[in-house]
Amino acid sequence: MSDLAPMVSLDVRSLVTLRVVLPLYALLVVVYMLAWGLQMALTMFGVAALIVGNTLFGLGESSRLNLLYGTLPVRRRTVVLAHYLVSATALTALVGLGTLVGIAANAMRGTPDAGLPMAAAATLGATFVVMVFPQPATLRWGARGAA
């Protein structure tokens, strides 16, 4: 498991491909959130987390990172675990950010945050489920074959 930290670092560095897409998406989320409030913000940040997770698992095929992983002295299990850890961390961070943005939007609109903890927990749980189940298909058949 000492290989896990360098693999997580490699996964985080491979997300540089999203440096243009995620800020534009965040701007779109803010616009939707100001129009529809908390529920839309949480949902859209959950979708952003799915984008990050699918990018990690799809990059192995599209960027030929599988060849790199094959040359490294690391087990396949460690590579997959690093992908899941980075995806889960991104999901938790983005849903947390969505919760904060939703609170700010509700404060600006003057609406209460009564269902905030339940909405955040539901978004987190549903997105974890959606993120976890398709990934084995992507690993088995590749990004193009799993769809």
Side-chain angles (χ1 to χ4, degrees):
M1 287 312 230
S2 64
D3 300 331
L4 186 60
M7 287 307 302
V8 167
S9 175
L10 180 62
D11 280 349
V12 169
R13 281 183 273 152
S14 68
L15 289 176
V16 167
T17 59
L18 297 176
R19 71 182 176 277
V20 174
V21 174
L22 282 181
L24 292 175
Y25 187 80
L27 180 64
L28 179 67
V29 168
V30 169
V31 170
Y32 277 118
M33 178 262 321
L34 289 174
W36 289 289
L38 174 67
Q39 294 297 333
M40 182 57 72
L42 285 173
T43 304
M44 296 297 282
F45 276 103
V47 170
L50 288 175
I51 291 170
V52 169
N54 287 333
T55 298
L56 279 175
F57 282 93
L59 274 176
E61 180 182 346
S62 64
S63 298
R64 298 188 183 254
L65 288 178
N66 291 335
L67 294 175
L68 171 65
Y69 298 150
T71 62
L72 296 174
V74 64
R75 291 183 291 178
R76 180 75 174 152
R77 177 177 28 182
T78 305
V79 173
V80 173
L81 182 60
H83 288 348
Y84 274 119
L85 281 175
V86 171
S87 298
T89 303
L91 170 62
T92 305
L94 287 169
V95 170
L97 182 62
T99 303
L100 294 176
V101 168
I103 289 171
N106 285 348
M108 288 176 19
R109 295 170 60 183
T111 57
D113 302 332
L116 177 66
M118 185 58 77
T123 301
L124 195 62
T127 311
F128 267 128
V129 169
V130 170
M131 183 175 68
V132 166
F133 288 115
Q135 301 313 344
T138 303
L139 289 171
R140 172 64 178 95
W141 294 292
R144 293 185 187 104

